[in-house]
């Protein structure tokens, strides 16, 4: 009975709360609220880690590994994410949708760590996923890897498969990294006209202002 109660606590106090934080984080990500999403992913990871620490042999371990790994990946803790996601993906009989999402998260860390060829290898099979959300996330990661490898034709081909708003934000970020400020400004003006304000806009405006592109900043803000 005590063992059963302990397992129940592992779920309700750990896995359940981690799932709720992950659900919130995914929702914020879809809305472009990346900073707030990262906080929720970090909370999900920390909560799932308590399950792994307190109940290392619990039947909820696969759930906790998945939630801890994905949360760590999207909150910037890629070292932890690699460990958790690699262990999770080595487990047999896990749901296909979770395996796909775990793979995308692992690939996103590969991009962050400049292992871009690895990232492309991981997500390429997922580009044709029937799950539109998985396919979109895979294309986004693959495009970032292609940009990092200076393969712009491939990056633009991949971005063309994304919704227009997503593609324009990715291209704007890439243009800023390459100091192609005119293109970044044009793309951000387009997003501004649609009222599409995201976390990335603040840092973009700061970058442009520091590059003495004050007129461009004013055009974006006016839009």
């Amino acid at each position: 009975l005590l063992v059963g109660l302990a397992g129940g606590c592992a779920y309700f106090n750990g896995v359940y709360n981690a799932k709720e934080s992950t659900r919130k984080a995914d929702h914020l990500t879809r809305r472009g609220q990346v900073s707030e999403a990262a906080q929720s992913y970090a909370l999900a990871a920390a909560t799932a880690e308590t399950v792994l620490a307190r109940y290392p042999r619990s039947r909820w371990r696969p759930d906790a590994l998945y939630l801890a790994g994905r949360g760590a990946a999207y909150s910037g803790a890629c070292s932890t994410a690699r460990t958790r996601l690699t262990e999770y993906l080595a487990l047999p009989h896990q749901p296909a949708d979770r395996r796909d999402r775990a793979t995308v998260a692992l690939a996103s860390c590969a991009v962050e760590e400049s292992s871009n060829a690895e990232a492309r290898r991981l997500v390429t099979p997922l580009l044709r996923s029937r799950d539109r959300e998985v396919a979109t996330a895979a294309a986004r990661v693959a495009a970032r890897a292609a940009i990092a490898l200076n393969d712009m034709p491939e990056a633009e081909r991949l971005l063309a498969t994304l919704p227009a708003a997503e593609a324009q934000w990715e291209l704007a970020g890439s243009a800023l990294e390459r100091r192609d400020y005119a293109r970044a400004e044009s793309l951000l003006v387009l997003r501004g006209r649609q009222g599409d304000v995201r976390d990335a806009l603040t840092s973009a405006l700061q970058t442009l202002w520091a590059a003495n592109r004050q007129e461009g900043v004013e055009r974006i803000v006016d839009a």
Side-chain angles (χ1 to χ4, degrees):
L1 177 60
L2 289 175
V3 171
L5 289 172
C9 289
Y11 178 75
F12 288 109
N13 295 333
V15 174
Y16 177 82
N17 290 333
K19 280 183 177 179
E20 288 301 303
S21 294
T22 298
R23 191 173 293 115
K24 178 181 178 182
D26 288 343
H27 175 69
L28 290 168
T29 298
R30 286 191 288 270
R31 294 177 57 183
Q33 296 174 256
V34 179
S35 296
E36 292 178 43
Q39 294 175 16
S40 290
Y41 282 125
L43 178 59
T47 306
E49 285 290 344
T50 65
V51 177
L52 295 171
R54 296 177 63 188
Y55 309 100
R57 297 181 181 179
S58 166
R59 66 190 179 97
W60 303 110
R61 185 173 180 83
D63 297 80
L65 285 170
Y66 169 76
L67 294 164
R70 195 160 174 265
Y74 293 134
S75 59
C78 279
S79 177
T80 300
R82 272 192 175 276
T83 300
R84 297 310 190 194
L85 291 171
T86 299
E87 182 179 347
Y88 175 75
L89 289 169
L91 296 175
H93 313 306
Q94 296 305 303
D97 61 328
R98 281 195 172 188
R99 291 185 62 83
D100 290 348
R101 283 170 169 75
T103 300
V104 172
L106 186 59
S108 73
C109 276
V111 171
E112 290 297 319
E113 296 167 343
S114 299
S115 298
N116 296 293
E118 177 193 2
R120 292 173 83 170
R121 176 182 60 78
L122 287 168
V123 296
T124 295
L126 302 178
L127 294 173
R128 296 182 180 180
S129 172
R130 293 182 180 180
D131 185 324
R132 184 59 185 167
E133 191 168 310
V134 168
T136 297
R140 187 184 300 115
V141 171
R144 289 174 181 173
I147 290 169
L149 293 168
N150 202 31
D151 187 353
M152 292 309 298
E154 176 66 4
E156 296 197 3
R157 184 189 70 79
L158 290 162
L159 290 172
T161 68
L162 300 180
E166 297 297 325
Q168 288 172 357
W169 277 108
E170 291 292 335
L171 287 170
S174 169
L176 286 171
E177 289 180 6
R178 299 194 317 276
R179 299 184 182 181
D180 185 354
Y181 297 127
R183 190 179 193 196
E185 289 165 12
S186 297
L187 290 163
L188 292 171
V189 166
L190 288 175
R191 298 322 312 149
R193 288 173 181 165
Q194 297 298 318
D196 186 5
V197 178
R198 306 189 182 192
D199 289 347
L201 180 61
T202 301
S203 61
L205 294 176
Q206 291 171 339
T207 298
L208 291 168
W209 191 271
N212 295 318
R213 305 285 299 193
Q214 285 82 4
E215 290 186 6
V217 169
E218 291 175 1
R219 285 197 304 122
I220 296 164
V221 173
D222 288 343

